[in-house]
Amino acid sequence: VTDLTPTPACRCDITIGDARLVAQAPRRITALAPFDLAAAEALGFPGPGQVKDARFLWAGRGLAFLLDVPTPETLAPLCATTDQSDGWAAFDLTGPDAAEILARLVPLDCTTLTGTARSLLGHHPLLIWRQGAEHFTLFTYRSMARSAAHDLEAAMKALAARRSLT
Amino acid sequence: MSNWRIPGQGSRIDRTRPVAFTFDGQSYTGFAGDTLASALLANGLRLMGRSFKYHRPRGVMTAGSEEPSALVGILEGAQRSPNIRATMAEIYPGLSAESQNRWPSLRHDLMAVNDLFHPFLGAGFYYKTFMWPRKFWEGFYEPLIRRAAGLGRLSGQHDEGVYEKAFAFCDLLVIGSGPAGLMAALRAGRAGARVILAEEDAEFGGRLLSDAPAIDGQPGPDWARGVIAELSAMPHVRLMARTTITGAYDDGSFGALERVALHHPPGDAPRECFWRIRARASVLAAGALERAIAHPGNDRPGVMMASALVSYARRWGVRPGERVVIFGNNDNALAHARALTALGVQIAAYVDPRDIPVTEDFPVYPRAAIVATKGRHALREVAVRHAGGTSLIAADCLGLSGGWNPTLHLACHLNGRPEWRADIAAFVPRAGMVPGMYPAGAAAGVFSTAQCLQTGHAAAGEALGALDIPAPDLPVPLAEDGTYAIAPLWAVDAKGRAWLDFANDVTTKDIAQSAQEGFTSVEHMKRYTTQGMAPDQGKNSNVAALAVLADATGQGIAATGTTTFRPPFVPVSIAAMGAGGRGMGFAPRRLLTSDAASRAAGAPMVEAGLWYRPLYFPKPGESHWRQSCDREVVMVRQAVGVCDVSTLGKIDVQGPDAARFLDFVYTNTMSTLPVGRVRYGLMLREDGMVMDDGTCARLGEGHFVVTTTTAAAGQVMRHMDFVQQAFCAGWKLRLVSVTEAWAQFAIAGPQAQALLARLGLSGDLPFMGTMPVHLAGVDGRLFRISFSGERGYELAVPARFGAALWDRLCALAADLGGGPYGMEALNVLRIEKGFLTHAEIHGRVTAFDVGLDAMVSKKKDCIGLAASRRPGLLEGREHLVGLRPLNPGAEISAGAHLYRRGDPTTRTKNQGYVTSVCYSPTLQGWLGLAFLKEGRDRMGEVLRLDDGLRGITVDCTVTSPVFFDPAGGRMRD
């Protein structure tokens, strides 16, 4: 065997109405889970819903996702470390209607959301990260990426069609 | 149609935009802004439906969502939306509506014969009549009644329309946009609070639009438009027209139904959106519903609510009749008669039971009542009983006003009971019935415009105070502050049927009969008479009905009380609540990395734990799944097969205490497992039953990977998380699911190692061993485990390489005389080996039952151990056994039960049941796995397998559940 060509979880780049949905290119995602939850903060872990340095994301109880960079050597022995680069697929939803589209699928108040939250995207598991006023990054399970994109696209279409009503 | 329009009136319609539509196939024209009801009235149509039971002709009675009678079907291609209130359906070009519950036509409905038999069809008729003969009920009476009764019918087609569900959040939800709601929203909006203003109508303003009282010297509608303009400029205020709040739930949650595009021809926009709104506080300003008066013949087309007459005249410019009689018992009714006169509608008579002065511009009958009406398809005449006798008055329209019922439904949805106020003869909400909800305006029982504005202002102030938001000092505008005097009149004492519930054909006599027969509780009366059980849920009749009941029982209204108010406030289409859930939207789809290749190979898919897995891979010439399956089984036994097993749950367990923890969750010991080895493991639930089985691989001193079955992956993760948090707090270990991160493929068969060699991997691994591998620059994992009974490996690579590796594996397997195999072959292979799935470990079996008691360590404790030793779980149990038909070719079935030969197939003689079956091409016969009473002691016994459902009876021999290679040499060596 000479090579294995990687396949993305989902190919998606659509603009409907005032929003754009793009599937992110694969990136390194390392899940870090400190063995001692009480010491997590002292170790520099983000608190619930927090994001540090735009790449260390709170991702659930005692769990953080480190994006793009290797695990710092000081942290490695104190955490369970798993490579999730292939486990989660990420989408960027941007545009003035982004929060309104998410209101169709996410049971959280996305207009006031800051940082990250674990929730649902329709029926799909979700880690949502607000990167800007009109920029949300949505992480879901890789195997469900196409299913999630379908639901997002349906919500985008419905909202755009509603906007076009006179 | 111009005859029925009032020149210069009609704030809601645009006379420059005619709209053509059809009703019962007949073409009509209305204007943009018309509802179906207003457009039909403007075309002179009074007859719009037939009543539920007696099929009496009925017309529209109201101008709102409470409409009981004008229920129609809306047709869109092959679709039919039944029971749509004509008052809520806005017309659009090409709208096609039809009447319901009539045959052959609305005017000539043969089922109206029921009305002739009304003396026999009163309340309780069903219960008394269809008792005998008993067996006639299901086959004869019920279908007959269902055909005769009922309202609209569904098309029987899937609803292909677009629907939406959405969430919204606010500080203050204002329900209703009349004077109270607008005032509350304005104050909260100016305070900077996040406000949602929900209005059921297409237009904001509530009764300001129809009654048009002056506010601060300007017409009410203008004032409303001004407030809405200000609110719509506030980014923190959301205005939701055509949105009905349907229910109040715990913790400030509300359901709401928005009619998004129902007023447009079918298109891409959602028809409806079901909202879930979370509000920190709410103002209930939903107004009030006018109630009828029960008098004989009060249900004819042309009999309407007095307030609806004013609405139709002012908002839609519709003249409700040529000669209108108003029958009211309160000041508001008189005001309506004056308003109609001012609008150019001829009032033929004003009839009031009170002793009021006769000083109007129209004939007034004080101390009078209407005692009869005439007109079959439309009202022609009313009979007025007054001090001077009974007069017949020609009239084509009768406006009733029995007073107002505050729209307090939402306040009662958490089971609070409202309070009776005798001075206004109505129930009003009590404080705190829904936490954080502040009633205002007519919903709180105040009826003047000035008081509505004041209470709306005050309610917003209270709500903002509770939310710690400073309330601005907003002046309350000046408006009329008239009194509302009422003399309760629920039913006119006269001969003839007087209707209470127009939708369900319940009369005052039915209520009296209910009381007479002992159903004196209001809840019993409701069930006995069906009053309040129609689509309007008694909005038009509940209070009057319980007043008539109170009169019959002598209990008084306050003591009688109301029935329970339940959501939804208006009918909500299932399609809206289930938006997005049709077809494939029902659940997420989990797709394997091999998905596209499997589908391209023509494999049909089966859903397992939300995953889509290939059933088999058909080859040219194979026309039946069994041919493909048999071939794939033989292929694995004789050459090599590859199968995508990525769906198995994979849980990464890391930490210094990981081994100790696994010893606690598994029945067997994992701490003694050497690094680089894999062990089969069994987990119990806390009640001692088997929860799941799987493998546990030790990758490092403090690093394990646990596999679970596909279906139980979530359950096992949750269980282990619970055990760690609840019982092992402080232990140093963490659990992280890595199911999605890896694509994992089984390679099984005598040629498995040869296939690995062609991949450049040695495969030189002991049975139940694992090692890291390096494949074309990719780090992977290799396990030597087998679910087929053949020499087997599982090769895992990061998921992004799954598709490429699968293609490679299939090609290499083909070179070796093998190929991919699907779920069907996988199932046959495992049954031949007696391996378990959740067909066997279905939640009611112990380790002892499945023959794995030896795997429950006696040297340590584990979750479920003590419970699994309970009395009754170790003796007299059904054991897992194998079954082989005496005639090997005789087909057997899963779900069949086992009996001794000669015994009757009755419950008490049942010996066990079959969990899995297959045809084994390896052993040339049918095999089954079953649970049999004391089965391990009954090897060789011949039993009768009986499947009553499928009509299968086959004699079978009891065997070991391991049919093939019991020593296991094929997979071990």
Side-chain angles (χ1 to χ4, degrees), chain B residues 281-318:
Chain B
S282 58
V283 169
L284 179 66
L289 297 173
E290 194 167 27
R291 57 196 182 214
I293 298 172
H295 65 77
N298 63 340
D299 69 327
R300 294 190 197 283
V303 181
M304 298 167 73
M305 298 304 121
S307 57
L309 304 184
V310 179
S311 290
Y312 283 115
R314 205 183 306 265
R315 298 191 64 199
W316 289 282
V318 173

Short mmCIF file of all heavy atoms in Angstrom, two decimals, chain B residues 281-318:
data_model
loop_
_atom_site.label_atom_id
_atom_site.label_comp_id
_atom_site.label_asym_id
_atom_site.label_seq_id
_atom_site.Cartn_x
_atom_site.Cartn_y
_atom_site.Cartn_z
N ALA B 281 -40.70 36.70 32.02
CA ALA B 281 -41.99 37.12 32.56
C ALA B 281 -42.95 37.29 31.39
O ALA B 281 -42.52 37.32 30.23
CB ALA B 281 -41.85 38.44 33.32
N SER B 282 -44.24 37.38 31.70
CA SER B 282 -45.21 37.52 30.61
C SER B 282 -46.37 38.40 31.06
O SER B 282 -46.68 38.49 32.25
CB SER B 282 -45.74 36.14 30.18
OG SER B 282 -46.33 35.47 31.28
N VAL B 283 -46.96 39.08 30.08
CA VAL B 283 -48.19 39.84 30.32
C VAL B 283 -49.28 39.18 29.49
O VAL B 283 -49.14 39.03 28.27
CB VAL B 283 -48.03 41.32 29.93
CG1 VAL B 283 -49.38 42.02 29.93
CG2 VAL B 283 -47.07 42.03 30.89
N LEU B 284 -50.32 38.71 30.19
CA LEU B 284 -51.44 38.10 29.48
C LEU B 284 -52.44 39.19 29.13
O LEU B 284 -53.17 39.68 30.00
CB LEU B 284 -52.10 37.02 30.34
CG LEU B 284 -53.30 36.32 29.71
CD1 LEU B 284 -52.86 35.50 28.50
CD2 LEU B 284 -54.02 35.44 30.71
N ALA B 285 -52.45 39.59 27.87
CA ALA B 285 -53.37 40.63 27.41
C ALA B 285 -54.14 40.09 26.23
O ALA B 285 -54.20 40.70 25.17
CB ALA B 285 -52.59 41.89 27.05
N ALA B 286 -54.68 38.88 26.42
CA ALA B 286 -55.30 38.16 25.31
C ALA B 286 -56.74 38.58 25.07
O ALA B 286 -57.42 38.02 24.22
CB ALA B 286 -55.23 36.66 25.58
N GLY B 287 -57.22 39.56 25.85
CA GLY B 287 -58.57 40.06 25.60
C GLY B 287 -59.64 39.17 26.18
O GLY B 287 -59.43 38.49 27.19
N ALA B 288 -60.80 39.20 25.54
CA ALA B 288 -61.95 38.44 26.05
C ALA B 288 -62.75 37.92 24.86
O ALA B 288 -62.64 38.43 23.76
CB ALA B 288 -62.82 39.33 26.93
N LEU B 289 -63.50 36.86 25.11
CA LEU B 289 -64.34 36.27 24.07
C LEU B 289 -65.80 36.53 24.41
O LEU B 289 -66.24 36.27 25.54
CB LEU B 289 -64.09 34.76 23.98
CG LEU B 289 -62.67 34.35 23.57
CD1 LEU B 289 -62.51 32.83 23.68
CD2 LEU B 289 -62.38 34.81 22.15
N GLU B 290 -66.52 37.03 23.42
CA GLU B 290 -67.94 37.29 23.64
C GLU B 290 -68.69 35.96 23.65
O GLU B 290 -68.37 35.06 22.89
CB GLU B 290 -68.49 38.20 22.55
CG GLU B 290 -69.84 38.77 22.91
CD GLU B 290 -70.24 39.92 21.99
OE1 GLU B 290 -69.77 39.93 20.83
OE2 GLU B 290 -71.00 40.79 22.41
N ARG B 291 -69.68 35.87 24.53
CA ARG B 291 -70.40 34.61 24.59
C ARG B 291 -71.83 34.78 24.07
O ARG B 291 -72.38 35.88 24.09
CB ARG B 291 -70.41 34.05 26.02
CG ARG B 291 -70.98 34.98 27.03
CD ARG B 291 -70.60 34.57 28.45
NE ARG B 291 -71.20 35.46 29.42
CZ ARG B 291 -70.62 35.81 30.55
NH1 ARG B 291 -69.44 35.34 30.89
NH2 ARG B 291 -71.25 36.62 31.39
N ALA B 292 -72.38 33.68 23.65
CA ALA B 292 -73.73 33.69 23.09
C ALA B 292 -74.76 33.62 24.22
O ALA B 292 -74.41 33.53 25.40
CB ALA B 292 -73.90 32.51 22.15
N ILE B 293 -75.99 33.68 23.84
CA ILE B 293 -77.08 33.43 24.78
C ILE B 293 -77.84 32.22 24.22
O ILE B 293 -78.12 32.16 23.02
CB ILE B 293 -78.04 34.64 24.88
CG1 ILE B 293 -77.29 35.86 25.41
CG2 ILE B 293 -79.25 34.29 25.77
CD1 ILE B 293 -78.11 37.14 25.36
N ALA B 294 -78.12 31.26 25.09
CA ALA B 294 -78.82 30.07 24.63
C ALA B 294 -80.32 30.36 24.55
O ALA B 294 -80.97 30.56 25.57
CB ALA B 294 -78.56 28.91 25.58
N HIS B 295 -80.79 30.47 23.32
CA HIS B 295 -82.25 30.62 23.13
C HIS B 295 -82.64 29.69 21.99
O HIS B 295 -81.78 29.30 21.17
CB HIS B 295 -82.63 32.08 22.84
CG HIS B 295 -82.08 32.60 21.55
ND1 HIS B 295 -82.61 32.28 20.33
CD2 HIS B 295 -81.03 33.42 21.30
CE1 HIS B 295 -81.92 32.87 19.38
NE2 HIS B 295 -80.95 33.57 19.94
N PRO B 296 -83.89 29.31 21.90
CA PRO B 296 -84.28 28.36 20.86
C PRO B 296 -83.90 28.87 19.47
O PRO B 296 -84.13 30.04 19.16
CB PRO B 296 -85.79 28.26 21.02
CG PRO B 296 -86.02 28.58 22.48
CD PRO B 296 -85.01 29.61 22.81
N GLY B 297 -83.29 28.00 18.69
CA GLY B 297 -82.95 28.33 17.31
C GLY B 297 -81.80 29.30 17.19
O GLY B 297 -81.70 30.03 16.20
N ASN B 298 -80.89 29.32 18.18
CA ASN B 298 -79.80 30.30 18.15
C ASN B 298 -78.61 29.83 17.32
O ASN B 298 -77.53 30.36 17.45
CB ASN B 298 -79.33 30.63 19.57
CG ASN B 298 -78.75 29.42 20.28
OD1 ASN B 298 -79.02 28.28 19.89
ND2 ASN B 298 -77.98 29.64 21.32
N ASP B 299 -78.83 28.81 16.48
CA ASP B 299 -77.68 28.29 15.73
C ASP B 299 -77.82 28.47 14.22
O ASP B 299 -77.02 27.94 13.46
CB ASP B 299 -77.49 26.79 16.03
CG ASP B 299 -78.60 25.94 15.46
OD1 ASP B 299 -79.75 26.42 15.40
OD2 ASP B 299 -78.33 24.78 15.07
N ARG B 300 -78.83 29.20 13.77
CA ARG B 300 -79.03 29.29 12.32
C ARG B 300 -77.96 30.16 11.66
O ARG B 300 -77.44 31.09 12.28
CB ARG B 300 -80.40 29.89 12.02
CG ARG B 300 -81.53 29.00 12.47
CD ARG B 300 -82.88 29.47 11.95
NE ARG B 300 -83.94 28.85 12.73
CZ ARG B 300 -84.33 27.59 12.57
NH1 ARG B 300 -83.76 26.83 11.66
NH2 ARG B 300 -85.29 27.09 13.32
N PRO B 301 -77.66 29.85 10.39
CA PRO B 301 -76.71 30.72 9.68
C PRO B 301 -77.24 32.14 9.68
O PRO B 301 -78.39 32.37 9.29
CB PRO B 301 -76.69 30.13 8.26
CG PRO B 301 -77.08 28.69 8.44
CD PRO B 301 -78.07 28.69 9.57
N GLY B 302 -76.43 33.07 10.13
CA GLY B 302 -76.87 34.45 10.28
C GLY B 302 -76.86 34.86 11.74
O GLY B 302 -76.87 36.05 12.05
N VAL B 303 -76.84 33.86 12.65
CA VAL B 303 -76.71 34.18 14.08
C VAL B 303 -75.23 34.29 14.39
O VAL B 303 -74.46 33.36 14.12
CB VAL B 303 -77.37 33.11 14.97
CG1 VAL B 303 -77.23 33.49 16.43
CG2 VAL B 303 -78.83 32.92 14.59
N MET B 304 -74.81 35.43 14.90
CA MET B 304 -73.38 35.66 15.15
C MET B 304 -73.20 36.39 16.47
O MET B 304 -74.17 36.78 17.11
CB MET B 304 -72.79 36.51 14.00
CG MET B 304 -72.87 35.84 12.64
SD MET B 304 -72.53 36.96 11.26
CE MET B 304 -70.78 37.17 11.42
N MET B 305 -71.96 36.56 16.85
CA MET B 305 -71.68 37.38 18.03
C MET B 305 -71.79 38.85 17.63
O MET B 305 -71.35 39.24 16.54
CB MET B 305 -70.26 37.11 18.56
CG MET B 305 -70.03 35.68 19.01
SD MET B 305 -71.21 35.14 20.26
CE MET B 305 -71.91 33.77 19.39
N ALA B 306 -72.31 39.65 18.53
CA ALA B 306 -72.52 41.06 18.21
C ALA B 306 -71.19 41.75 17.87
O ALA B 306 -71.10 42.56 16.95
CB ALA B 306 -73.20 41.76 19.38
N SER B 307 -70.14 41.41 18.63
CA SER B 307 -68.84 42.05 18.39
C SER B 307 -68.30 41.66 17.02
O SER B 307 -67.61 42.45 16.37
CB SER B 307 -67.84 41.64 19.47
OG SER B 307 -67.71 40.23 19.51
N ALA B 308 -68.61 40.43 16.57
CA ALA B 308 -68.13 39.99 15.26
C ALA B 308 -68.78 40.82 14.17
O ALA B 308 -68.14 41.13 13.15
CB ALA B 308 -68.42 38.50 15.06
N LEU B 309 -70.03 41.22 14.36
CA LEU B 309 -70.71 42.05 13.35
C LEU B 309 -69.95 43.36 13.16
O LEU B 309 -69.74 43.82 12.04
CB LEU B 309 -72.15 42.35 13.79
CG LEU B 309 -73.05 41.15 14.11
CD1 LEU B 309 -74.47 41.63 14.43
CD2 LEU B 309 -73.08 40.19 12.94
N VAL B 310 -69.53 43.94 14.29
CA VAL B 310 -68.80 45.21 14.21
C VAL B 310 -67.44 44.99 13.53
O VAL B 310 -67.01 45.78 12.70
CB VAL B 310 -68.62 45.82 15.62
CG1 VAL B 310 -67.85 47.13 15.53
CG2 VAL B 310 -69.98 46.04 16.26
N SER B 311 -66.77 43.88 13.89
CA SER B 311 -65.48 43.58 13.26
C SER B 311 -65.62 43.45 11.76
O SER B 311 -64.84 44.03 11.01
CB SER B 311 -64.91 42.27 13.82
OG SER B 311 -64.51 42.43 15.14
N TYR B 312 -66.60 42.66 11.32
CA TYR B 312 -66.76 42.46 9.89
C TYR B 312 -67.09 43.78 9.20
O TYR B 312 -66.60 44.06 8.10
CB TYR B 312 -67.84 41.41 9.59
CG TYR B 312 -67.32 40.01 9.83
CD1 TYR B 312 -67.83 39.19 10.82
CD2 TYR B 312 -66.28 39.51 9.04
CE1 TYR B 312 -67.33 37.92 11.05
CE2 TYR B 312 -65.77 38.24 9.26
CZ TYR B 312 -66.30 37.46 10.26
OH TYR B 312 -65.78 36.21 10.47
N ALA B 313 -67.91 44.61 9.84
CA ALA B 313 -68.29 45.88 9.21
C ALA B 313 -67.11 46.82 9.12
O ALA B 313 -66.82 47.37 8.07
CB ALA B 313 -69.42 46.52 10.02
N ARG B 314 -66.38 47.00 10.24
CA ARG B 314 -65.33 48.00 10.24
C ARG B 314 -64.05 47.51 9.57
O ARG B 314 -63.42 48.23 8.80
CB ARG B 314 -65.03 48.46 11.67
CG ARG B 314 -64.43 49.87 11.68
CD ARG B 314 -64.02 50.36 13.05
NE ARG B 314 -65.08 50.31 14.04
CZ ARG B 314 -65.89 51.32 14.35
NH1 ARG B 314 -65.80 52.45 13.71
NH2 ARG B 314 -66.78 51.17 15.31
N ARG B 315 -63.63 46.27 9.87
CA ARG B 315 -62.33 45.81 9.37
C ARG B 315 -62.40 45.30 7.94
O ARG B 315 -61.47 45.44 7.18
CB ARG B 315 -61.76 44.72 10.28
CG ARG B 315 -61.51 45.19 11.70
CD ARG B 315 -60.71 44.18 12.48
NE ARG B 315 -59.38 44.01 11.92
CZ ARG B 315 -58.61 42.97 12.16
NH1 ARG B 315 -59.05 41.99 12.92
NH2 ARG B 315 -57.41 42.88 11.61
N TRP B 316 -63.49 44.61 7.61
CA TRP B 316 -63.57 44.03 6.27
C TRP B 316 -64.65 44.70 5.41
O TRP B 316 -64.89 44.28 4.29
CB TRP B 316 -63.81 42.52 6.37
CG TRP B 316 -62.60 41.81 6.87
CD1 TRP B 316 -61.48 41.49 6.16
CD2 TRP B 316 -62.36 41.32 8.20
NE1 TRP B 316 -60.56 40.85 6.96
CE2 TRP B 316 -61.08 40.74 8.22
CE3 TRP B 316 -63.10 41.34 9.39
CZ2 TRP B 316 -60.52 40.16 9.36
CZ3 TRP B 316 -62.55 40.77 10.54
CH2 TRP B 316 -61.27 40.19 10.51
N GLY B 317 -65.31 45.73 5.97
CA GLY B 317 -66.32 46.45 5.21
C GLY B 317 -67.48 45.57 4.78
O GLY B 317 -68.07 45.79 3.73
N VAL B 318 -67.79 44.58 5.59
CA VAL B 318 -68.86 43.64 5.23
C VAL B 318 -70.13 44.00 6.01
O VAL B 318 -70.10 44.15 7.24
CB VAL B 318 -68.45 42.18 5.54
CG1 VAL B 318 -69.63 41.24 5.34
CG2 VAL B 318 -67.28 41.76 4.68
#
